[in-house]
Amino acid sequence: MSFASLNLCDELLKAVAEQGYTIPTAIQIKAIPAVLSGRDVMAAAHTGTGKTASFTLPMVQLLSGGARPGALHVRALVLTPTRELAAQVSESVQNYSRHMNIRSTAVFGGVRIEPQIAALQEGVDVLVATPGRLLDLYGQGAINFDELEILVLDEADRMLDMGFIDDIRRIQILLPDKRQTLMFSATFSTEVKLLSEGMFNNPLLIEVAAENSTAPTIKQVIHPVDKERKSELLIDLIKKNKWHQVLVFSRTKKGADSLVSELESSGISAASIHANRTQYARTHALEDFRSGQVVALVATDIAARGLDVSQLPCVVNFDLPYVAEDYVHRIGRTGRAGTFGLAVSLVSEDEYKQLKSIEEVIGFQFERKIFRGFMPTEKAPISKFDDDEYGNFEPDTKPQLKPKSRRRGKPQRRRQ
């Protein structure tokens, strides 16, 4: 099936071709016609399956035939959980609408609000925003929702994890009742479904992947190692395997900065992105990583959500996440759009409980490899020795685990 078969206009087909896409993904095949028909849509698909284009393409086409927005007005609003994702979605809107008369912008915290107020003065067709900054702008009288036609909630599960439910409810009250509402998420948890109540008008539910599944294009392996030797092992892995681009996840901001210092001391170019860094610094670090000037980008979960690096070869979990579902989102940065990727987790003895939870969530047991010279002194999980190097691979069939009930902790609120 081609993009032309989805009833997209010639201007969008040209833009899609210029971006190098020829065949739509499963979520795009199902979602684009539904959105073009004007229906409300709730769509779930794992990371890297093309969710952003699933709503940006039909949204831009629907807006292209309407009247220009009035001063301070917005015709379509896209809510995202993080600054990076807001910037990424905004870039996608601009790329796809390059041959159409569509005005768009993004607003988020961490940068001066005055330029954002100025950008809204003449009105915009598409506004991509984080909840906190959007409410700040509304409070200053810089935005009007009377002409809103489309609302999109992107990464809805993550917005709830980050504690944005109250902000979303406040925003919902400000919007016209008559609108098209779209929700795109990696998973549809009970909390997400509760959030959706009262938001939609007979929505079409689209699911193209099992909940919390990981892409079969990602090779997943763990290295048992003592906690104090993790950075030493990571340095050896990067140098021995000649990794030129690796996204590393740290659990804390302090840990991310400390790891960057250790990597740079060993001669590996590195940078960090986390909530304490300015938006300029985060954007600059990501640009350097994409261009190859930075080999290792060390990120916390809150900063890395939504990062899209073309054909990223490797993701490393320096620390396992406390929330098992976050593992799926982390490794989803690699193995995207049909390419193969590698996900490595450095696991110390105190993380085995988290490891077990992750295996139960994704439904298979990881391949264990103890790297020569890094035998952990603490008790390790069942392991097998293997070659130090990573070569080409084909997706493996993993033994299924019996499903077990899981308890989820109450998420802490974090504003963007």
Side-chain angles (χ1 to χ4, degrees), residues 24-276:
T25 64
I27 185 65
Q28 291 165 0
I29 291 171
K30 293 184 177 181
I32 289 176
V35 177
L36 285 176
S37 72
R39 287 199 64 174
D40 285 3
V41 171
M42 294 177 62
H46 62 71
T47 304
T49 55
K51 292 194 302 294
T52 301
S54 296
F55 65 81
T56 54
L57 287 171
M59 176 180 65
V60 166
Q61 180 159 319
L62 290 173
L63 295 173
S64 65
R68 302 296 301 169
L72 307 182
H73 284 76
V74 175
R75 298 178 61 206
L77 172 63
V78 182
L79 290 177
T80 69
T82 67
R83 309 163 188 175
E84 282 74 23
L85 185 55
Q88 179 182 310
V89 172
S90 180
E91 181 180 4
S92 294
V93 172
Q94 293 172 6
N95 286 337
Y96 292 135
S97 64
R98 62 197 310 172
H99 303 299
M100 308 167 80
N101 189 21
I102 295 292
R103 186 186 301 135
S104 63
T105 191
V107 297
F108 40 77
V111 295
R112 292 175 57 234
I113 198 170
E114 292 80 8
Q116 297 177 353
I117 292 175
L120 294 168
Q121 288 294 313
E122 296 182 10
V124 294
D125 294 291
V126 181
L127 177 64
V128 186
T130 53
R133 178 52 62 93
L134 182 69
L135 288 170
D136 289 342
L137 287 163
Y138 183 83
Q140 295 190 36
I143 188 169
N144 189 304
F145 297 117
D146 289 348
E147 297 178 8
L148 189 82
E149 302 171 33
I150 302 172
L151 168 66
V152 181
L153 298 175
D154 191 19
E155 301 283 12
D157 53 341
R158 188 59 173 179
M159 282 196 277
L160 291 181
D161 288 343
M162 293 172 63
F164 285 131
I165 185 167
D166 290 338
D167 285 348
I168 295 172
R169 291 299 189 194
R170 289 174 61 193
I171 292 169
Q172 180 186 0
I173 294 172
L174 303 175
L175 307 181
D177 292 333
K178 187 178 180 180
R179 65 173 190 267
Q180 183 179 16
T181 304
L182 315 173
M183 178 184 285
F184 285 76
S185 179
T187 63
F188 277 150
S189 63
T190 301
E191 293 79 9
V192 171
K193 292 176 181 177
L194 288 174
L195 171 66
S196 69
E197 293 181 358
M199 270 192 165
F200 294 85
N201 176 28
N202 187 30
L204 174 66
L205 182 63
I206 299 174
E207 294 183 88
V208 298
E211 184 176 2
N212 297 323
S213 65
T214 56
T217 53
I218 304 174
K219 172 79 170 182
Q220 301 175 63
V221 63
I222 70 164
H223 290 313
V225 62
D226 289 337
K227 192 179 190 72
E228 62 272 13
R229 298 195 69 191
K230 280 190 176 185
S231 57
E232 183 184 352
L233 175 55
L234 176 60
I235 291 168
D236 265 23
L237 287 170
I238 293 174
K239 291 184 174 181
K240 185 176 183 61
N241 295 289
K242 298 179 181 179
W243 291 341
H244 299 294
Q245 192 179 49
V246 55
L247 176 60
V248 183
F249 282 96
S250 169
R251 191 180 299 134
T252 67
K253 295 171 284 190
K254 182 178 179 181
D257 289 336
S258 176
L259 181 56
V260 166
S261 297
E262 292 187 76
L263 290 170
E264 291 189 323
S265 295
S266 70
I268 298 171
S269 59
S272 66
I273 57 172
H274 52 68
N276 280 3

Side-chain angles (χ1 to χ4, degrees), residues 352-369:
Y352 292 159
K353 184 177 180 181
Q354 293 147 253
L355 175 62
K356 182 179 179 181
S357 295
I358 292 170
E359 289 182 327
E360 289 177 342
V361 163
I362 63 178
F364 64 77
Q365 189 174 33
F366 290 110
E367 178 181 1
R368 271 88 161 151
K369 290 185 180 181

